[in-house]
Amino acid sequence: MASSRTSPPAHLGRRAVVIAMGLALAPGLAKAACPPVRVLFVCPAGSVKSAIARETLKRRAADGGVSLSVSSRGVRPEDHVSLGLAAKLKADGLNPTSEPLRALAETDIGQADIVIAFDEASDEPMLRSARAWKTPSWNGDYAAAKADLDGRLALLLVELRARVARPCGAP
C-alpha cells in the first residue's frame, strides 16, 4: 500500500503536483517578470531635446538600476545640433546621434507607457494626451536646458521606480 506522501491524490495528475510543489518551494520564481516601462520623448525635430532626454534617461536609469525602454522621435525630423552644442554634449558624455533620427508614427505613441512632448510638439493632435514639457533651448542656453532636464528626469525616475516596485498590471 502506497503512502499519501509518495502518491498524488487521485484527482490530481502527477504534473499538477509537480507544478504545485515547485510553486510552493519557490514562490519568487512563480511571479512573471514585468516588461520594462516604455518612455517615448518627442520634440519638433527629434534631434535635440528628445534625443538628449533619451540618452540622459538611459544613463540615469542604468546607474539607478531601473529597467526601462526609452526612445525618441521627431514630429518633422531634422538635425538641429549645432557644432557648439555637439561639443558640450560630447564633454558631458552624451551622444544624441547614437540612434537614428526617426519620425513620429501613431504606433510609437500606442506602444509607449509614458509619452513626453517637448514644446510645440505637444500641440500636435496625436500628442494631445502626452505630458507637455516646455523647456529652454539647448542651442541657446545649455546650462538652463541641462538644469531643467535634470530636475524633470529626477522626478520621472522617482515615478519610474515606483512603477517598477508595483506588481505587473497595477496602475
Side-chain angles (χ1 to χ4, degrees):
M1 182 162 122
S3 84
S4 63
R5 294 178 124 191
T6 58
S7 299
H11 68 283
L12 292 178
R14 182 179 181 136
R15 184 173 180 205
V17 172
V18 170
I19 291 170
M21 288 174 57
L23 293 175
L25 295 174
L29 296 177
K31 182 181 174 188
C34 296
V37 176
R38 297 161 302 186
V39 178
L40 172 64
F41 292 108
V42 182
C43 68
S47 60
V48 180
K49 292 181 179 186
S50 61
I52 293 169
R54 178 196 70 223
E55 293 303 306
T56 305
L57 182 58
K58 278 185 188 177
R59 181 171 33 179
R60 290 204 184 152
D63 291 348
V66 177
S67 176
L68 53 81
S69 171
V70 187
S71 56
S72 64
R73 299 289 186 267
V75 175
R76 286 167 290 288
E78 188 176 341
D79 185 0
H80 284 188
V81 179
S82 67
L83 292 175
L85 176 57
K88 289 175 183 174
L89 292 169
K90 185 176 181 180
D92 280 344
L94 292 173
N95 179 8
T97 63
S98 69
E99 293 183 15
L101 189 56
R102 293 185 180 111
L104 177 66
E106 193 92 34
T107 55
D108 297 322
I109 297 166
Q111 294 172 352
D113 299 307
I114 298 173
V115 179
I116 297 168
F118 287 93
D119 305 325
E120 61 270 11
S122 64
D123 297 333
E124 290 293 318
M126 72 174 123
L127 291 170
R128 296 254 187 235
S129 63
R131 298 176 187 187
W133 286 6
K134 305 293 184 192
T135 63
S137 166
W138 283 88
N139 282 302
D141 191 345
Y142 188 87
K146 184 176 177 180
D148 184 78
L149 184 64
D150 285 346
R152 290 174 187 276
L153 290 183
L155 293 173
L156 181 59
L157 278 167
V158 168
E159 176 186 346
L160 292 170
R161 282 186 189 98
R163 276 184 177 223
V164 171
R166 290 189 291 241
C168 289

